[in-house]
Amino acid sequence: MSSQTRYVERAIPRISMHDFEDRIEEITTQLIDAAENVGFFTVINHGISKEDIEAMFATSKSMFDLPDNVKATVPWNANNVGWEKNSQIRPSTGKPDSKESYQLQFGENMKDLWVKDSDLPGFQTTSLTFMHRVQEISERLMRCFARGLGFPETFFIECHGISRPNSQTTMRLLHYFSQPEESDGQEYHRAGAHADWDFLTLLFQKEGQSGLEICPGREVVTEFGIGDEWTKVEASTEAIVCNIGDLLMSWSDDRFKSTFHRVRAPCEPGDYFGDRYSIAYFNQPCKDTLIQGPLKKYPMVTGAQFTENAMKRNFAALQEKLKTVAAA
């Protein structure tokens, strides 16, 4: 089929985290440059082996292989945790993403929302262990961003403390459904174009399971990047893809730009049509965190207010999109 998308090659910064303590100044410089000019980057030599990442993917697949009636015992709720299927509608498309997901947190929001050990032995322990390891990587990156913005080095770590009862940081296990290789000439997306509203997202992908595409915030000129030029991001199990969220954009007084991204459904020879798995780790502030950039460009809000405002904007944009679709 002919594609409606225009593609361009963009260099996506690749940042090594090896010898972090000795290289923190160098890594900070690289991160700040990536945040200011692209909004997306990958980190390598981060401390989690390919084997351990593959093991988490295997655990994730085992969970999604459970019958729907078992997964439905841990349903998604307003605290942004739990399982959903074909229910997330993007304002950019007005249609549900072709996926299911299971969102996990560290604290009290997960009460009675972990898959039972009798249904999937060891799932909670395995997931929490992996989440803590990703949090360690996140905190190193937070130290760099704090340095770059002139905050105390542990400032963002304290704002995202996962041991606090009002923590909102989330790990999302994702399963995009396989797609038929026949098409009707339309362009589809497994996940419609969007920007994350968190501080920083760390994304794990499986090699060979392509589909992720970006349109950097510095270059987007239309709503949700529709009609703009996109870049394909090759999937690598070992490299973590990181993107700036709306929160870090606000906290930097717009010095950094959040980036639109999507998971485009396969539609051309050579695309990957099978089931696609990924794991996204969303660094979200504690509900009582006070958020304001060093230049005070925006009014101070709490973490809870920032999340609520982001959801309201998303809902309003979705309603507008649905009106447009209905009128067409």
Side-chain angles (χ1 to χ4, degrees):
M1 60 167 271
S2 61
S3 173
Q4 301 170 14
T5 294
R6 291 177 294 148
Y7 288 103
V8 298
E9 292 294 325
R10 293 182 175 96
I12 299 174
R14 189 174 174 90
I15 300 171
S16 175
M17 302 285 285
H18 77 275
D19 297 331
F20 178 80
E21 296 299 339
D22 292 333
R23 297 179 54 246
I24 188 168
E25 289 292 346
E26 176 189 352
I27 293 171
T28 295
T29 299
Q30 293 174 354
L31 282 177
I32 298 305
D33 181 69
E36 288 183 325
N37 296 300
V38 183
F40 249 80
F41 55 92
T42 62
V43 294
I44 58 174
N45 301 320
H46 42 69
I48 304 180
S49 69
K50 183 177 181 179
E51 291 73 23
D52 287 345
I53 295 170
E54 290 283 9
M56 188 64 230
F57 271 120
T59 297
S60 174
K61 184 179 185 303
S62 295
M63 192 283 301
F64 287 123
D65 284 345
L66 294 171
D68 281 4
N69 66 312
V70 174
K71 291 178 284 190
T73 62
V74 290
W76 186 90
N77 66 30
N79 288 322
N80 208 30
V81 293
W83 174 74
E84 61 80 26
K85 181 179 182 180
N86 291 328
S87 66
Q88 186 169 16
I89 304 176
R90 305 285 186 184
S92 58
T93 61
K95 299 176 182 179
D97 288 349
S98 179
K99 65 167 173 50
E100 62 181 326
S101 69
Y102 185 25
Q103 303 208 152
L104 312 172
Q105 292 183 4
F106 290 94
E108 57 191 20
N109 286 341
M110 285 301 295
K111 185 178 183 195
D112 299 324
L113 285 173
W114 285 102
V115 170
K116 293 183 178 62
D117 211 56
S118 56
D119 292 319
L120 188 58
F123 176 79
Q124 180 175 349
T125 299
T126 299
S127 298
L128 282 172
T129 298
F130 190 80
M131 290 164 69
H132 278 285
R133 295 189 68 184
V134 182
Q135 178 66 18
E136 290 175 2
I137 298 170
S138 297
E139 291 183 358
R140 293 190 198 109
L141 297 173
M142 287 178 190
R143 287 171 59 190
C144 294
F145 282 119
R147 282 171 167 243
L149 290 172
F151 289 106
E153 190 164 312
T154 60
F155 177 77
F156 290 131
I157 295 175
E158 293 165 4
C159 291
H160 295 78
I162 59 172
S163 62
R164 292 163 59 183
N166 54 14
S167 169
Q168 298 184 99
T169 288
T170 301
M171 185 169 80
R172 187 178 208 184
L173 307 180
L174 291 145
H175 170 215
Y176 298 95
F177 305 122
S178 61
Q179 301 289 312
E181 296 199 21
E182 303 80 18
S183 73
D184 57 7
Q186 299 296 312
E187 183 175 85
Y188 297 98
H189 303 287
R190 297 197 196 196
H194 63 283
D196 296 338
W197 67 62
D198 63 336
F199 180 87
L200 183 71
T201 302
L202 282 68
L203 179 70
F204 295 84
Q205 302 183 93
K206 285 180 66 68
E207 287 174 15
Q209 298 185 4
S210 60
L212 178 65
E213 300 177 350
I214 67 166
C215 184
R218 289 283 180 199
E219 300 178 40
V220 66
V221 294
T222 61
E223 189 174 26
F224 299 110
I226 304 302
D228 283 349
E229 296 177 327
W230 289 76
T231 296
K232 297 180 180 181
V233 180
E234 288 303 315
S236 167
T237 305
E238 293 177 279
I240 306 174
V241 179
C242 303
N243 68 278
I244 306 300
D246 289 346
L247 176 59
L248 183 49
M249 179 172 163
S250 176
W251 233 326
S252 70
D253 299 304
D254 292 342
R255 178 179 168 187
F256 308 149
K257 289 285 189 180
S258 57
T259 292
F260 287 105
H261 52 287
R262 66 190 185 189
V263 179
R264 184 164 170 263
C267 56
E268 298 173 341
D271 285 350
Y272 176 72
F273 289 85
D275 291 88
R276 181 182 188 274
Y277 295 87
S278 63
I279 300 170
Y281 192 85
F282 301 103
N283 289 281
Q284 299 181 153
C286 296
K287 293 181 179 180
D288 60 353
T289 291
L290 297 178
I291 298 163
Q292 190 173 50
L295 302 181
K296 299 180 170 53
K297 181 174 181 178
Y298 299 105
M300 183 177 289
V301 294
T302 65
Q305 289 171 328
F306 191 93
T307 300
E308 181 182 2
N309 292 341
M311 295 182 76
K312 284 180 178 178
R313 286 195 306 272
N314 194 68
F315 181 77
L318 175 59
Q319 295 307 302
E320 191 63 32
K321 176 67 175 183
L322 294 177
K323 285 180 187 177
T324 302
V325 171

